[in-house]
Each structure stands twice: as C-alpha cells, then as structure tokens.
Amino acid sequence: MAKIIFYGGKGGVGKTTCSTANSISYAERGLRTLLVSTDPAHSISDVLGVKIGKKIINLRENLDGLEIDPEYEAELYVNKIRENMKTILSNVIIEEINSQLDAAMVSPGTHESALFDKISDIIIDKFEEYDIIIFDTAPTGHTLRILTLPDLLEGWMGSLAKKRKSIVDMNKMVTRKYDKKDPVLEILEKRQKRFSEIKKIFNDNDNVRIRFVLNAEKLPIEETKKAIKMLNQFNIPVDTLVINRIMPDDIGADFWEKKKKQEEEYLLDIEKEFRGKEFIKIPMLDTDMSKDTVDRLSKFFND
Ligand SMILES: Nc1ncnc2c1ncn2[C@@H]1O[C@H](COP(=O)(O)OP(=O)(O)OP(=O)(O)O)[C@@H](O)[C@H]1O
Ligand SMILES: [Mg+2]
C-alpha cells in the first residue's frame, strides 16, 4: 500500500471532503494517518470543525492533521535565503538583492518552491512515523506544478552547483585564501541532496499515489484527461480516480425535498450573513455545461 497519497482535481470537485474521508477510513482501520492540507483556503479545519494549524495536532484516534500556509512558508523560505546571503555577500549587494527578494515573496514560483520544500520536509521527517500521509491540495494547476517540481528543481540545482563549483575552483587557482568550504556551494549541495532524497521516494511507485477527484460532468472530465496526460510525461502515474457526488440509485422525491430544504436554509443564511449585498440567483440546470447552457443561464443576469 502507498505511503503517500496526493488528492488532486479541479476546483470544488471534493478534494478536501474525499481526502478527509479517506484519512478517517485509514485511521479507523488502525493505520497511523497524517492528513496535510496544502490549500491556502484551509478547508480541512472547516470540514472537521477543528482548528488545525502549522503544528501537527491529533484529530482522533490514529489521525493527525496539519495545515501548511504557503504564504508563511514563502516568507520563511525567503528569509532563510537572506540569512544565508549575509554570510557571503557585502552590504551593498545585500540591499539590492533584498529588494529583489521582496518581489520574489509575492511571485507564484516562490510559493510553490517553498511549499514543495515544506512537503519534502514532512515526507522525509514523518515517513517512518506514519503509515499513510495524505495531502489535500489546491485545484489542479497547483498540484501538477508541485508534483513535477522535484524533476525540474533537481536539474536546476545541479546546474547551479556545477557553475558555482567551477567559480570556486577558479578562485582556488588564483588565490590561496579560498580553502574554506564555499557556503553557497554548501547550500546548493545540501538542497540538491534533499531533492534527490525526495525524488527517490517519489520515483518508487509503491510509495506515492495520486488520486484525482472528479464529478461525472464535462469540465472535470476534460481537466482530468489533461492532468493525467501531463503527469504521464513526468512518469507520474495516476491509477485511481475518485468519482464524487454520484447520485444514489434509489433517488426519489424525498432526496430532492431534503436537498431543497437544506438549500432554503442556506439561502436564508446567505441573505442574513451578507445583508446589504445584491444577489444574482442562478438556478441549477438539468443539463451539463455547453454553449446552450451558458446561453440559458445568461438570461438570469438582468443587471
Ligand atoms: N459527496 C458529496 N455530497 C454532497 N456534497 C459534497 C460531496 N462532496 C463534496 N461536497 C460539497 O461540495 C463542496 C466542495 O467540496 P470540497 O471543498 O471538498 O471540494 P474541493 O475540491 O476541496 O474544493 P477546492 O478546489 O475549493 O479546494 C463542499 O461544499 C462540500 O461540502
Ligand atoms: Mg479543498
């Protein structure tokens, strides 16, 4: 059985719901389970009604939870780079680079690298402690970029380390002072080692599983097709699809009445909670998305 499961899929298909439910089922079978949210929206806390944070907490027997905050991790990540730089560069250069790092903090690439660093830490540090680690991710694009990062980053780190090494070797030839271990090279080599460690875990197909959640509707099907194709290019197989929100076989009037009643209650809640706002109400259609359906829906926008 896989140790690490990533839940991916289009926005709103049920990744958080299904990854949480799956974690509970493993925990109930006696497996030590860790559920990790990498979604900035942090909805596991909302689903379980428990405040989960940056530290691992126990949720119930055999089940622990943790929410990674990409914003916070990016800040830590950039600050770590700042600290490392201080030891090797002059103040003038540091000031210039600092302003570049401030800009990097808000760029999506930094968030993903920081998030990937954190995910790697969890996997490497907790691999022995838990039987299963389940990751709930933000919508597809995000998951794909995270999963394909080890390949990209390892190559990139490797070429940076190689370049740095040739500079260090050259310096050694011209000055004799350079016999201390180069701090930049040390950082690069350390990160490279971590990436190959995580890649080794990722590349063992028995360790990692990707579960794509989808609904039996056109758009999630299309998105799942594209995602599987892309992951195949990186040799990351997807062998399980979780098809969520399938209507029950014995569906009858009482099912719809119950749904309708629940909806009415929530509509009242929305009107109360967001009093003063304007509401545009769009009905659920009995057909799937297509040009005709959006045409039909367009009639409800009268403002
Ligand atoms: N099987 C189900 N039956 C009924 N409602 C469901 C089911 N699965 C999910 N939902 C509801 O659908 C909504 C979206 O679910 P969820 O938050 O799990 O999706 P998600 O894929 O994690 O979304 P996001 O992409 O925003 O992270 C929620 O309101 C959830 O309660
Ligand atoms: Mg979610």
Side-chain angles (χ1 to χ4, degrees), residues 194-248:
R194 209 156 177 74
F195 282 130
S196 51
E197 217 170 317
I198 197 76
K199 239 186 97 176
K200 219 185 301 157
I201 296 179
F202 267 52
N203 281 350
D204 182 343
N205 282 343
D206 289 334
N207 280 333
V208 185
R209 287 278 178 283
I210 319 294
R211 289 195 167 166
F212 254 87
V213 184
L214 77 165
N215 306 133
E217 287 172 4
K218 187 174 162 191
L219 297 183
I221 292 174
E222 290 305 320
E223 190 157 322
T224 306
K225 275 201 259 180
K226 280 187 221 149
I228 290 177
K229 204 165 141 202
M230 172 176 175
L231 287 171
N232 269 339
Q233 285 168 358
F234 282 86
N235 290 323
I236 305 172
V238 178
D239 47 17
T240 306
L241 297 182
V242 180
I243 311 168
N244 185 31
R245 260 195 236 129
I246 298 178
M247 290 189 199

Side-chain angles (χ1 to χ4, degrees), residues 13-227:
V13 292
K15 297 177 291 299
T16 302
T17 309
C18 293
S19 56
T20 307
N22 199 175
S23 307
I24 292 172
S25 84
Y26 283 129
E28 279 178 353
R29 276 177 267 164
L31 297 166
R32 290 162 304 161
T33 309
L34 175 64
L35 173 62
V36 186
S37 160
T38 63
D39 181 353
H42 286 343
S43 20
I44 292 180
S45 289
D46 298 337
V47 170
L48 291 175
V50 190
K51 181 92 199 69
I52 305 171
K54 294 183 191 74
K55 286 217 171 78
I56 293 179
I57 65 157
N58 179 252
L59 296 169
R60 48 173 87 185
E61 200 184 349
N62 290 323
L63 180 61
D64 291 348
L66 169 73
E67 281 178 340
I68 302 176
D69 183 346
E71 196 80 36
Y72 171 81
E73 294 304 329
E75 210 175 302
L76 269 189
Y77 182 77
V78 169
N79 284 342
K80 221 163 46 186
I81 299 175
R82 271 192 239 277
E83 283 306 307
N84 286 335
M85 268 185 347
K86 271 194 201 146
T87 59
I88 48 175
L89 297 172
S90 80
N91 283 342
V92 185
I93 301 176
I94 286 179
E95 228 163 84
E96 167 59 29
I97 295 182
N98 263 341
S99 61
Q100 284 179 21
L101 283 176
D102 285 337
M105 197 103 87
V106 289
S107 88
T110 306
H111 277 202
E112 277 143 14
S113 310
L115 196 54
F116 184 73
D117 246 29
K118 184 68 187 172
I119 290 175
S120 307
D121 281 352
I122 294 170
I123 292 176
I124 293 169
D125 297 344
K126 305 291 170 192
F127 199 76
E128 298 302 328
E129 201 175 313
Y130 291 94
D131 296 312
I132 303 257
I133 306 175
I134 294 188
F135 289 92
D136 171 30
T137 70
T140 314
H142 179 253
T143 322
L144 294 184
R145 281 195 298 272
I146 287 178
L147 291 172
T148 51
L149 268 175
D151 254 350
L152 302 177
L153 288 181
E154 198 203 18
W156 185 53
M157 284 291 145
S159 72
L160 280 181
K162 221 158 121 191
K163 269 194 202 133
R164 182 72 195 175
K165 196 163 182 316
S166 67
I167 295 173
V168 172
D169 286 345
M170 226 147 69
N171 279 344
K172 269 186 188 159
M173 277 197 286
V174 283
T175 77
R176 282 168 190 239
K177 274 192 289 180
Y178 224 109
D179 44 318
K180 263 200 314 186
K181 181 102 179 104
D182 178 59
V184 181
L185 195 57
E186 224 167 319
I187 294 163
L188 288 174
E189 282 174 353
K190 215 157 85 191
R191 299 207 56 188
Q192 207 187 350
K193 204 171 136 237
R194 209 156 177 74
F195 282 130
S196 51
E197 217 170 317
I198 197 76
K199 239 186 97 176
K200 219 185 301 157
I201 296 179
F202 267 52
N203 281 350
D204 182 343
N205 282 343
D206 289 334
N207 280 333
V208 185
R209 287 278 178 283
I210 319 294
R211 289 195 167 166
F212 254 87
V213 184
L214 77 165
N215 306 133
E217 287 172 4
K218 187 174 162 191
L219 297 183
I221 292 174
E222 290 305 320
E223 190 157 322
T224 306
K225 275 201 259 180
K226 280 187 221 149

